[in-house]
Amino acid sequence: MTATLTDVSKSYGSTVALHPTSLTLTGGVIGLLGPNGAGKTTLLRLLATAMAPSTGSISVAGHLVTGGHESRTEARRHLGYLPQEVTYPSGMTAFGFLDYLAVLKEWQQAATRHAEVRRVLALVDLGDRASAKVRSLSGGQRRRLAIAQALIGAPQLLILDEPTTGLDPEQRASLRGILSGLPGTVLLSTHQTEDVSALCDRVLVLDAGCIRFDGTVPGLLASARGRVHISTAPSDDALHTWKTGSGLVRSVGGTPAPDAVSVDASVEDAYLLLRHRPEGVPS
Amino acid sequence: MTTPAPWHVTPPLWQAYAGGRLDWSAQSAVESHVAGCAHCQRGAAAYADDPEPLWQAVHARITTPRPAWHLRALRRCGVAESDLVLVSAAGGLRIPWALAVSGALLTAVIVSALGSHQLAAYLFLAPLAPVLAVIGAYHATDELAGLVRTTPMSPLRLALSRAVAALAVAIPSALVIGALIPPLHPMLWLWLLPGLMLALAALVLLTRLSTQVAAAAVVGGWALVVAACTGTGTLRALAGVPGQTAAVAVCAALLVLFVRLSTTQPHGGPR
């Protein structure tokens, strides 16, 4: 399954949320990192057909999202989308919410639709909460319910905007298991860099509406090699320093202190370094 | 007093249950009985070499919430089950229904209180009750609008399902309220076609405009029409056969326009 963006940009009035961007997404789990306001949600909403780009074209599974109504509808048949926030209508049960979304996704036949609803409920470990009102669910359960609606019909392109927000470590691990087992393409935006290192075949780093990095996790880590140190004193001009549990200081970037020892960089270190690299410097 | 003879789930009953051929009350009876009857639990195991599919069917029945009575009644009347899901999911329909009933009540009170200009006031206010219902039903989708927009569901089908559900309550309510107030009897049916016409006009405008702008355009436009007819002394014609015939023609044109606009809706536009 391929999704392609060609010279896609998005502006809100005079504010450019996404500069002209070309991307091809082909299979696997792709992580999208970036600070708040970087344009991650805009990019995901464009791909999810929730809004039209200002320029450029988008295609999903060969169907032009930016084309006519018919091709856009066809593209939507291959999509699952989890927005950053889902507001649930009052009085709905977990089952009713998913049943409604399944109808919207053209599951017309009641028996097969209900079986699909039960499947995704079980997938996110909410099988025993089917009849519960959504308002009675905890924050984590509501988030899992929102994830479940995106999984209806096993879409070929799954677009998840911060899926792990509100999930505890066990639930996050469970979600990783679900996502890693999906056959199509998963694009997930997250602030949890450990999710990226644990899950993603490919990482995109978006900053100020521009793609700053597009590569593998090892590639991202390699960009930070030799730039993270442990010492008794912080590195000069370090981007970030903090005292670790052992009493030593970990420094990201900067000129290492004389007694500094280079340590393996994490995805978070690499991301922080990347964000502060001047534009135009190759990753 | 006699104790009723114990009953157990028979193989044909099991088959009907697992096959989904029992009505809701029979299904519930089977479920509650089997939950407390060891004999039937053993019977289920004997019924099939592998009882798992049967238990899955039992579990499926239990975890599938039963539709509300009015939805079951509509299903018996032939309404498609998926349409019922669309309509019942819009819990916000209570708001447009309340709006429509309140609008009809307000109309009745205002018109009854007027000594003169009753017809003008009635012709202006009463057709707006279904408009309130339709606009309210459209607005009710907002909570999930971001998600709904990314699904392949036809915006035409969605809008029409909700509009019909809203009108199904709004129109009879307005008629009943009108029938209860004697001064309104001579005018009881006059608003119906203009009301449908304005509701369709609202649907057309909602495909391109925000809720507030569409509502203002319909109310303002209709106020101008009624004012112009009052000023030119043609109010009786608006209420009479010429006006009603024109309303039918406009309804047909608006319906065609609505279908066309709904299927060519701009990407990311209002739904």
Side-chain angles (χ1 to χ4, degrees), chain A residues 2-10 18-25 43 46-47 52-60 63-66 211:
Chain A
T2 304
T4 309
L5 292 89
T6 309
D7 294 327
V8 169
S9 72
K10 182 68 185 179
L18 186 68
H19 289 281
T21 301
S22 294
L23 271 178
T24 302
L25 310 174
L43 177 62
L46 287 168
L47 261 172
S54 303
T55 64
S57 64
I58 302 169
S59 82
V60 172
H63 305 285
L64 205 56
V65 169
T66 43
I211 299 280

Side-chain angles (χ1 to χ4, degrees), chain B residues 112 118 177-188:
Chain B
S112 303
Q118 269 193 338
I177 290 166
L180 292 175
I181 299 173
L184 301 183
H185 286 178
M187 304 179 280
L188 193 56

Side-chain angles (χ1 to χ4, degrees), chain A residues 48 76 100 104 108 113 118, chain B residues 64 81-82 89 149-150 162:
Chain A
R76 285 173 173 156
Y100 173 53
L104 293 176
Q108 302 296 323
R113 191 178 71 243
R118 281 189 290 272
Chain B
T64 304
E81 190 268 351
S82 54
R149 191 173 291 141
T150 63
R162 291 190 171 140

Side-chain angles (χ1 to χ4, degrees), chain B residues 109-183:
Chain B
V109 170
I110 290 173
V111 174
S112 303
L114 285 176
S116 58
H117 301 299
Q118 269 193 338
L119 183 61
Y122 189 73
L123 272 182
F124 170 61
L125 290 173
L128 295 179
V131 175
L132 283 175
V134 165
I135 287 181
Y138 219 83
H139 190 64
T141 64
D142 274 4
E143 284 169 318
L144 286 172
L147 261 182
V148 171
R149 191 173 291 141
T150 63
T151 66
M153 169 57 66
S154 156
L156 170 66
R157 183 180 163 199
L158 198 58
L160 281 180
S161 303
R162 291 190 171 140
V164 168
L167 291 176
V169 171
I171 289 175
S173 304
L175 283 172
V176 167
I177 290 166
L180 292 175
I181 299 173

Side-chain angles (χ1 to χ4, degrees), chain A residues 39 47-48 57 96 111-113 134 183 191 194 208 233 257 278 281:
Chain A
L47 261 172
S57 64
T112 52
R113 191 178 71 243
V134 176
H191 287 298
E194 56 269 48
V281 174

Side-chain angles (χ1 to χ4, degrees), chain A:
Chain A
M1 218 301 291
T2 304
T4 309
L5 292 89
T6 309
D7 294 327
V8 169
S9 72
K10 182 68 185 179
S11 301
Y12 302 98
S14 59
T15 306
V16 180
L18 186 68
H19 289 281
T21 301
S22 294
L23 271 178
T24 302
L25 310 174
T26 51
V29 183
I30 302 163
L32 181 60
L33 289 173
N36 289 330
K40 301 189 301 293
T41 294
T42 296
L43 177 62
L44 298 186
R45 293 191 68 211
L46 287 168
L47 261 172
T49 79
M51 63 183 179
S54 303
T55 64
S57 64
I58 302 169
S59 82
V60 172
H63 305 285
L64 205 56
V65 169
T66 43
H69 178 77
E70 294 298 326
S71 64
R72 190 161 52 251
T73 300
E74 194 52 49
R76 285 173 173 156
R77 294 193 171 108
H78 301 277
L79 287 173
Y81 173 51
L82 170 72
Q84 203 167 12
E85 284 178 19
V86 176
T87 309
Y88 296 92
S90 60
M92 256 188 183
T93 63
F95 189 99
F97 171 72
L98 293 177
D99 199 31
Y100 173 53
L101 264 298
V103 170
L104 293 176
K105 293 184 179 188
E106 299 181 325
W107 289 71
Q108 302 296 323
Q109 216 277 324
T112 52
R113 191 178 71 243
H114 291 168
E116 178 65 6
V117 168
R118 281 189 290 272
R119 182 188 75 83
V120 293
L121 274 170
L123 211 53
V124 297
D125 204 19
L126 286 176
D128 58 343
R129 304 289 284 152
S131 301
K133 298 274 189 196
V134 176
R135 66 167 178 265
S136 72
L137 300 179
S138 68
Q141 287 173 328
R142 284 188 206 189
R143 196 61 185 154
R144 281 186 279 151
L145 184 64
I147 293 167
Q149 65 76 26
L151 296 170
I152 290 171
Q156 293 175 47
L157 175 60
L158 193 58
I159 300 163
L160 307 174
D161 201 346
E162 299 189 19
T164 51
T165 304
L167 301 188
D168 63 32
E170 198 172 331
Q171 291 164 349
R172 276 169 54 196
S174 169
L175 179 64
R176 285 177 193 166
I178 294 166
L179 298 182
S180 61
L182 295 175
T185 303
V186 179
L187 176 61
L188 71 96
S189 127
T190 182
H191 287 298
Q192 311 281 349
T193 48
E194 56 269 48
D195 287 338
V196 173
S197 50
L199 253 182
C200 299
D201 311 298
R202 182 179 165 192
V203 189
L204 301 169
V205 178
L206 193 64
D207 195 5
C210 297
I211 299 280
R212 298 290 302 273
F213 179 88
D214 181 358
T216 60
V217 172
L220 183 61
L221 293 174
S223 71
R225 191 169 297 140
R227 302 188 62 197
V228 183
H229 297 88
I230 293 272
S231 59
T232 51
S235 300
D236 287 343
D237 304 325
L239 290 175
H240 295 278
T241 61
W242 65 91
K243 199 178 238 181
T244 65
S246 64
L248 295 172
V249 176
R250 185 181 172 101
S251 302
V252 179
T255 306
D259 66 337
V261 176
S262 179
V263 293
D264 287 341
S266 66
V267 168
E268 185 170 273
D269 298 330
Y271 165 71
L272 292 171
L273 286 164
L274 186 72
R275 280 209 61 217
H276 291 86
R277 176 183 296 154
E279 281 189 48
V281 174
S283 51

